[in-house]
């Protein structure tokens, strides 16, 4: 067997065997297969797709490319959550402490942002001192003691996915159902959870632009979960406009903290509550939707969810005084409003374009090696469907570069479309698939 034959088979639309997929994953992870050969195969997969068997084989091989964490000592049931990516997606920062505050253990490994989507790790790193990069024993110990730990994917978990994902990102091959399904599920299988809730985002700021593709992706991940004995539930959520109001790093942490203090933007609230409800159900704690929503609200109102975030931050060397008083976070040099040029209704706020603009200001990476500016980004003031008056602020741009600020102002003015149609709001929760 050799890689040229495997590339040719996929190019010619043949189904790859388990052995061929194993050969590729092993060879690419240990450096025997070159980037250009892997790129050719990934592009052939992107164009010709994969059968269910091939996708499952790829998932299992990527999961087995490194360690598989065993968290059984911590609890019989470990629930995990993942998002397929979005703009303004600070859900994990809110959801994980919330779930842990209910006594359900959360061991969360998060990713960095790449391209226009943000990453939880970058947001966590904007809390001074917070360590996302800790050894596995410390991670497991934290989950045992605090009930919660959130770290970066630095452990030797699914290293093949890390390599293939970075390659996909550099050759425009991210938006593929079998590649996304296997990427996410390999990480989830390797990180030890046996119950998984996945937020499958749909819209302009997501990798799945249509509901029907998002449904296919969800079904694929649920199928893989079944074969790997990981019960998986997918919640399809709207990502046509940024989630909540803030898009950036420390400004998203501030929004997440405010949420845990009771200031909950409606779309973000719906997403957090629905994902939390499904995590609670999978944990076996309670199967009653209404009861669960009451518990969630209760732990926000009584401060337990916020206290869990503070406990986790302290436990990982972060300065929790920033969570207690978010005014302590460093702000960007410039904070300038973009105002409505006319009266009307907000027609659309293209999430991908907002994400790209935040990246341009320095909130994300264009290349993997780029250094992130924690303070920059965009805080929206409006949502789609809202009525606005001429001169009303639509958003505030946070920038540290005067030229970029001015360019961003012009671009954002075009991205936030104001028109006469009384636009209906798109619901935040589109569908639940289990
Ligand atoms: N998130 C992942 O972890 N992998 C993908 O391929 C896309 C989103």
């Amino acid at each position: 067997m050799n890689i040229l034959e495997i590339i040719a088979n996929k190019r010619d639309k043949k189904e790859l065997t388990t052995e061929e997929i194993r050969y590729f994953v092993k060879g690419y992870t240990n450096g025997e297969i070159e980037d250009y050969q892997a790129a050719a195969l990934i592009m052939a997969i992107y164009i010709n797709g994969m059968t269910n068997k091939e996708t499952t084989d790829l998932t299992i091989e990527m999961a087995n490319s490194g360690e598989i964490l065993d968290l059984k000592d911590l609890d019989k049931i470990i629930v995990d959550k993942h998002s397929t990516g979005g703009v303004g997606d600070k859900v994990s920062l809110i959801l994980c402490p919330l779930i842990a505050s209910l006594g359900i253990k959360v061991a969360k490994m998060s990713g960095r942002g790449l391209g226009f989507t943000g990453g939880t790790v970058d947001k966590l790193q904007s809390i001074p001192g917070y360590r996302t990069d800790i050894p596995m024993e410390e991670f497991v110990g934290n989950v045992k003691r605090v009930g919660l730990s959130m770290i970066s994917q630095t452990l030797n978990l699914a290293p093949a996915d890390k390599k293939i994902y970075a390659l996909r990102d550099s050759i425009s091959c991210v938006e593929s159902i079998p590649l996304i399904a296997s990427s996410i599920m390999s990480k989830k299988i390797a990180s030890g959870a046996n119950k998984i809730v996945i937020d499958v985002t749909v819209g302009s700021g997501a990798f799945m632009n249509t509901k029907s593709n998002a449904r296919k992706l969800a079904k694929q991940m649920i199928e893989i979960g079944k074969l790997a004995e990981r019960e998986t539930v997918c919640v399809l959520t709207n990502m046509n406009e940024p989630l909540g109001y803030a898009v950036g790093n420390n400004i998203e942490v501030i929004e997440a903290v405010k949420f845990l203090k009771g200031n909950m933007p409606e779309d973000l609230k719906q997403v957090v509550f629905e994902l939390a409800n499904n995590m609670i159900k999978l944990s076996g704690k309670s199967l009653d939707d209404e009861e669960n929503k009451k518990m969630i609200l209760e732990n926000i109102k009584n401060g337990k969810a916020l206290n869990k975030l503070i406990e986790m931050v302290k436990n990982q060397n972060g300065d929790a005084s920033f969570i207690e008083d978010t005014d302590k976070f460093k702000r960007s040099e410039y904070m300038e409003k973009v105002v409505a040029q006319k009266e009307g209704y907000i027609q659309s706020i293209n999430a991908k374009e907002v994400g790209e603009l935040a990246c341009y200001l320095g909130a994300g990476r264009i290349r993997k090696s780029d250094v992130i500016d924690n303070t920059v980004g965009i805080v929206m003031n409006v949502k789609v469907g809202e009525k606005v008056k001429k001169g009303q602020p639509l958003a505030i741009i946070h920038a540290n570069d005067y030229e970029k600020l001015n360019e961003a102002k012009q671009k954002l003015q075009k991205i936030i479309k104001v028109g006469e149609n009384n636009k209906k709001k798109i619901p935040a929760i589109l569908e639940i698939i289990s």
Side-chain angles (χ1 to χ4, degrees):
M1 192 182 306
N2 69 56
I3 186 65
L4 297 183
E5 273 167 29
I6 300 173
I7 297 169
N9 285 343
K10 196 72 233 175
R11 181 200 60 200
D12 297 340
K13 301 191 172 81
K14 290 186 188 141
E15 186 180 56
L16 300 181
T17 64
T18 306
E19 290 70 34
E20 284 176 319
I21 290 174
R22 183 171 305 142
Y23 180 93
F24 162 65
V25 172
K26 270 206 174 132
Y28 188 47
T29 312
N30 66 25
E32 277 163 22
I33 292 172
E34 302 287 347
D35 273 339
Y36 56 84
Q37 294 170 317
L41 180 60
I42 293 294
M43 182 59 87
I45 293 173
Y46 183 90
I47 293 169
N48 293 329
M50 279 186 133
T51 62
N52 283 345
K53 181 177 171 296
E54 285 177 306
T55 309
T56 307
D57 285 343
L58 181 60
T59 309
I60 303 296
E61 292 306 322
M62 290 205 294
N64 285 334
S65 66
E67 281 174 77
I68 306 257
L69 256 189
D70 186 355
L71 300 176
K72 282 199 202 79
D73 279 357
L74 293 182
D75 224 326
K76 275 205 296 293
I77 293 179
I78 302 285
V79 188
D80 200 354
K81 171 263 168 188
H82 200 88
S83 160
T84 56
V87 176
D89 183 350
K90 68 278 298 171
V91 170
S92 292
L93 296 172
I94 302 165
L95 183 63
C96 296
L98 178 59
I99 290 296
S101 75
L102 291 165
I104 301 164
K105 290 197 165 54
V106 181
K108 177 85 181 92
M109 251 164 271
S110 296
R112 288 171 197 284
L114 206 56
F116 67 89
T117 65
T120 302
V121 167
D122 298 324
K123 292 165 202 174
L124 282 168
Q125 284 178 347
S126 66
I127 303 169
Y130 187 85
R131 288 163 64 224
T132 55
D133 198 352
I134 57 176
M136 177 137 24
E137 306 74 53
E138 199 177 327
F139 175 58
V140 176
N142 288 350
V143 178
K144 209 177 226 170
R145 218 178 32 259
V146 178
L148 169 67
S149 184
M150 295 174 76
I151 62 166
S152 57
Q153 235 192 313
T154 47
L155 307 173
N156 182 29
L157 294 176
D161 169 64
K162 230 177 279 172
K163 227 176 149 181
I164 294 172
Y165 187 80
L167 179 72
R168 284 166 55 208
D169 195 63
S170 66
I171 58 169
S172 285
C173 283
V174 173
E175 300 93 337
S176 145
I177 291 175
L179 293 175
I180 296 177
S182 55
S183 163
I184 291 179
M185 293 308 285
S186 65
K187 283 191 283 263
K188 298 293 104 179
I189 291 170
S191 59
N194 43 14
K195 308 277 177 179
I196 302 160
V197 175
I198 301 177
D199 179 358
V200 182
T201 50
V202 189
S204 62
F207 295 130
M208 293 295 109
N209 291 152
T210 65
K211 219 162 131 181
S212 80
N213 277 343
R215 238 182 243 133
K216 278 187 206 153
L217 173 63
K219 288 187 175 149
Q220 181 84 260
M221 292 192 286
I222 290 168
E223 205 48 46
I224 297 170
K226 257 187 213 148
L227 292 167
E229 295 182 353
R230 261 73 170 184
E231 192 179 352
T232 305
V233 174
C234 292
V235 181
L236 270 52
T237 63
N238 177 37
M239 192 47 79
N240 273 303
E241 64 178 321
L243 189 60
Y245 291 101
V247 180
N249 291 291
N250 75 16
I251 52 179
E252 285 198 42
V253 174
I254 294 170
E255 187 173 29
V257 172
K258 285 188 178 158
F259 187 106
L260 290 171
K261 289 180 178 169
N263 183 354
M264 301 180 266
E266 189 50 37
D267 59 341
L268 187 56
K269 180 179 174 187
Q270 285 180 31
V271 174
V272 168
F273 277 44
E274 196 53 62
L275 294 171
N277 177 31
N278 281 285
M279 287 173 87
I280 298 169
K281 282 181 170 174
L282 282 182
S283 78
K285 190 178 169 77
S286 155
L287 296 178
D288 184 323
D289 294 335
E290 288 313 309
E291 181 65 25
N292 294 348
K293 291 201 174 145
K294 249 197 242 157
M295 280 197 277
I296 296 163
L297 198 55
E298 175 84 22
N299 272 23
I300 291 172
K301 280 193 181 151
N302 63 22
K304 284 188 180 168
L306 179 68
N307 287 341
K308 191 51 82 178
L309 176 66
I310 291 172
E311 198 184 344
M312 177 189 79
V313 168
K314 278 187 188 156
N315 194 49
Q316 284 180 222
N317 290 80
D319 185 345
S321 68
F322 282 75
I323 307 295
E324 280 151 0
D325 174 11
T326 51
D327 286 344
K328 283 186 78 173
F329 276 103
K330 190 168 172 230
R331 309 315 295 258
S332 57
E333 193 177 342
Y334 306 105
M335 282 187 255
E336 286 207 15
K337 283 180 203 147
V338 167
V339 300
Q341 302 295 306
K342 58 179 181 187
E343 188 176 298
Y345 296 92
I346 304 294
Q347 306 292 306
S348 68
I349 307 172
N350 186 297
K352 182 175 182 183
E353 290 173 9
V354 175
E356 283 170 344
L357 199 55
C359 256
Y360 172 70
L361 290 167
R365 295 178 189 83
I366 307 297
R367 283 171 303 269
K368 261 172 77 179
S369 54
D370 288 348
V371 176
I372 282 202
D373 182 341
N374 286 325
T375 63
V376 299
I378 297 149
V379 179
M380 311 297 309
N381 275 349
V382 290
K383 304 294 290 182
V384 171
E386 245 173 71
K387 191 165 197 273
V388 292
K389 291 203 178 90
K390 187 174 176 191
Q392 183 179 328
L394 300 176
I396 297 174
I397 297 180
H398 296 236
N400 281 320
D401 179 306
Y402 192 66
E403 271 174 33
K404 285 187 177 179
L405 168 74
N406 284 327
E407 204 170 317
K409 272 166 78 177
Q410 284 175 15
K411 282 189 177 157
L412 195 58
Q413 196 85 61
K414 290 192 186 121
I415 295 171
I416 307 173
K417 295 209 163 31
V418 180
E420 283 168 13
N421 290 345
N422 189 350
K423 269 275 232 209
K424 253 192 164 174
K425 278 183 191 294
I426 304 174
I429 309 298
L430 305 176
E431 199 168 320
I432 296 160
I433 307 181
S434 56

